[in-house]
Amino acid sequence: MIHRRLFTVLIVLFAPLTAAAEDAIVAVAANFLTTAEKLAGRYEAESGHRITIVHGATGQIYAQIRNGAPYDIFLAADTLRPAKLAEEGRSADRATYAIGQLSLIGKTAVDLAEPKEAFIGKTVALADPTVAPYGLAATSSMESLGLDTATFRSVLVSDVGQVASIYATGNADFAFVATSLLDLLDPAFAASMDRRHPPIRQDGVLLTRGANNPAATGFWGYLFTDAARQVIAASGYGVPE
Amino acid sequence: MSVWPAIWLTLQLAVVTTVILLAIALPLAWWLARTKSPIRPFVEAITALPLVLPPTVLGFYLLVFMSPEAPLGAFVLKVTGETLTFSFTGLVIASLVYSLPFAVQPLQTAFMGIGRETIESARTLGASPRDAFLNVALPLARRGFLTSAILTFAHTIGEFGVVLMVGGNIPGRTRVISIEIFTAVETLDYATAHTLSAGLLIFSFTVLTLVYFGNRQGVARVG
């Protein structure tokens, strides 16, 4: 933590020396896309640098980085992949930037105390637990709700962005999505799955590729400022202490 | 979100791929049309593979070959400082493989349609093999050449799975039209998805109509 603060201070100190506009590519987990776009827009206006946002499932982006994808920063939906990248020597800095929250949404209301009936014969969309941390949280939530997965049809897709699109196109009755996507979806029913799954700590990595790129280090520092934390909190996330 | 970077990138990719692929396909199709070599069926099968293989298989192997941890990818990274994967160059290589049959097959059919006798007559009249190819075979096969070019161009424009696996989804660098549509659908931006999808639909329909129109004229002229 102290390391990160120091880093941020250094960036702020040296910012005037790096006035030339630079580009950085930031890969973000699908759940954080709209929030990252907001943050990037504000950062671009402040700094004059350009941020390109790329999105996908956390596991997919991790594999892409292993295969040479030119990303400077990776905002993951878990702590596992960032830790792996650090082990592999690809991380210049690493910290938790948000705590993800999952919601159950649906076309009809569900009594969370007795949800089994409402799900019978329905189609439920969730992210694939093997590549998407929100999928893992969704399976934990289903267990916590005491749902019997044999009584309804589960549709697994690669990330929460696709879950949202399946629900929005009318192809699912219920869906487990990131709370940050609720504004976009405006569902008839929504319930927070808070405490029904282990907290989704979302770690970011300043990749070694971006360590000497002022646009990347600048955005990395900006992510942990109070202004950025307010944007993150207002978008449906917890923020780390 | 602006759709122009994706459209521009897609056009660049399709033009570069078409030019390079025709240069490869011309000698290959000529050889395939005329050779009596026993390895011809194997070469033909390899050429046709991208037609039947899922894009994921092509994408997977290309990802493995071009990865900075593989010899080819490492070499390119050393020389240019850029990785092959997730770059425009990588997309071009992937498109060359993916669109190969669309370039070779119409040309091969056209060359085969010319017939051995025509070329042999030219040779008897004193034309060198090079002359016979450039001044007799090529002009006669021009319709096949045009079909190859148009189909290669159109097929590259419609590429999706291979690009996603090899190039990812980087705006301005690897985000082609089909991936822009995918992104638009995922982010519930249906206006963009509709615009681009309708655009591709009209484009593809026009291209195919032109190809079939051309074919039909060809038949009329021969008759």
Side-chain angles (χ1 to χ4, degrees):
Chain A
M1 281 299 176
I2 289 167
H3 173 66
R4 202 183 72 237
R5 292 266 158 77
L6 186 67
F7 201 84
T8 313
V9 170
L10 283 175
I11 289 159
V12 172
L13 278 178
F14 286 104
L17 294 176
T18 57
E22 300 271 349
D23 290 291
I25 303 185
V26 178
V28 306
N31 72 83
F32 201 65
L33 177 62
T34 45
T35 316
E37 278 170 348
K38 269 184 235 160
L39 291 169
R42 293 185 185 199
Y43 171 72
E44 283 178 332
E46 267 179 33
S47 68
H49 292 309
R50 282 181 301 268
I51 300 291
T52 301
I53 306 267
V54 172
H55 69 98
T58 293
Q60 267 172 7
I61 295 172
Y62 168 73
Q64 290 179 344
I65 293 170
R66 289 285 306 266
N67 281 309
Y71 305 149
D72 298 300
I73 291 174
F74 174 25
L75 301 179
D78 66 1
T79 54
L80 186 72
R81 271 70 169 209
K84 277 191 181 171
L85 288 168
E87 266 170 41
E88 292 157 10
R90 293 172 203 266
S91 156
D93 194 15
R94 178 162 62 107
T96 304
Y97 65 92
I99 294 156
Q101 293 171 344
L102 186 76
S103 288
L104 167 66
I105 59 171
K107 294 174 181 171
T108 50
V110 177
D111 174 10
L112 290 184
E114 202 51 58
K116 261 186 169 176
E117 286 285 307
F119 276 76
I120 293 173
K122 300 287 174 140
T123 301
V124 182
L126 65 147
D128 182 348
T130 58
V131 289
Y134 278 83
L136 209 56
T139 48
S140 304
S141 302
M142 291 204 285
E143 269 173 41
S144 155
L145 288 167
L147 294 176
D148 178 3
T149 51
T151 60
F152 55 86
R153 196 163 73 98
S154 296
V155 178
L156 259 60
V157 289
S158 74
D159 60 47
V160 279
Q162 284 177 36
V163 173
S165 117
I166 285 194
Y167 179 83
T169 50
N171 288 295
D173 302 299
F174 294 103
F176 287 96
V177 297
T179 303
S180 56
L181 297 174
L182 286 187
D183 278 355
L184 217 58
L185 289 164
D186 194 24
F189 167 78
S192 169
M193 292 290 107
D194 206 17
R195 296 177 205 287
R196 292 189 183 274
H197 59 81
I200 310 169
R201 290 190 79 83
Q202 304 197 180
D203 274 7
V205 181
L206 174 63
L207 295 159
T208 45
R209 187 190 164 93
N212 296 316
N213 176 347
T217 51
F219 185 65
W220 178 252
Y222 174 75
L223 270 178
F224 303 99
T225 59
D226 284 340
R229 286 158 61 95
Q230 275 172 21
V231 173
I232 295 172
S235 305
Y237 294 93
V239 284
E241 292 301 309
Chain B
M1 112 171 92
S2 169
V3 297
W4 293 110
I7 293 177
W8 176 232
L9 183 74
T10 310
L11 289 177
Q12 276 178 304
L13 180 65
V15 168
V16 172
T17 302
T18 307
V19 171
I20 298 177
L21 204 48
L22 284 177
I24 297 171
L26 260 182
L28 182 58
W30 179 244
W31 181 78
L32 283 173
R34 315 223 340 131
T35 186
K36 289 174 180 148
S37 164
I39 65 162
R40 193 187 81 169
F42 296 101
V43 179
E44 278 184 311
I46 290 171
T47 311
L49 270 180
L51 284 178
V52 291
L53 278 181
T56 42
V57 174
L58 290 180
F60 171 61
Y61 282 131
L62 284 166
L63 199 60
V64 169
F65 280 121
M66 300 200 296
S67 155
E69 282 161 20
L72 175 68
F75 174 76
V76 172
L77 181 63
K78 211 174 161 188
V79 173
T80 66
E82 285 289 322
T83 59
L84 261 188
T85 45
F86 308 98
S87 71
F88 184 75
T89 316
L91 285 198
V92 171
I93 294 176
S95 306
L96 291 178
V97 175
Y98 181 66
S99 294
L100 182 68
F102 292 85
V104 173
Q105 289 183 350
L107 268 175
Q108 189 186 342
T109 312
F111 284 143
M112 283 165 84
I114 294 170
R116 214 159 264 282
E117 309 76 33
T118 318
I119 304 299
E120 269 156 22
S121 311
R123 293 295 309 281
T124 316
L125 292 168
S128 70
R130 196 164 158 269
D131 274 344
F133 175 72
L134 288 178
N135 296 320
V136 180
L138 217 47
L140 282 173
R142 64 180 183 281
R143 187 155 285 120
F145 187 81
L146 200 64
T147 308
S148 277
I150 293 174
L151 285 183
T152 304
F153 188 84
H155 192 241
T156 307
I157 292 223
E159 205 173 332
F160 174 72
V162 180
V163 174
L164 192 62
M165 286 185 77
V166 173
N169 187 355
I170 308 174
R173 221 189 275 209
T174 62
R175 185 181 286 178
V176 294
I177 295 174
S178 59
I179 292 178
E180 181 83 62
I181 294 172
F182 179 67
T183 302
V185 173
E186 261 206 351
T187 51
L188 310 182
D189 179 5
Y190 291 158
T192 302
H194 271 302
T195 311
L196 286 173
S197 299
L200 271 194
L201 184 68
I202 294 166
F203 167 78
S204 307
F205 176 74
T206 312
V207 163
L208 289 177
T209 309
L210 281 177
V211 168
Y212 286 119
F213 197 66
N215 282 349
R216 197 168 157 170
Q217 272 193 332
V219 172
R221 190 178 293 190
V222 170

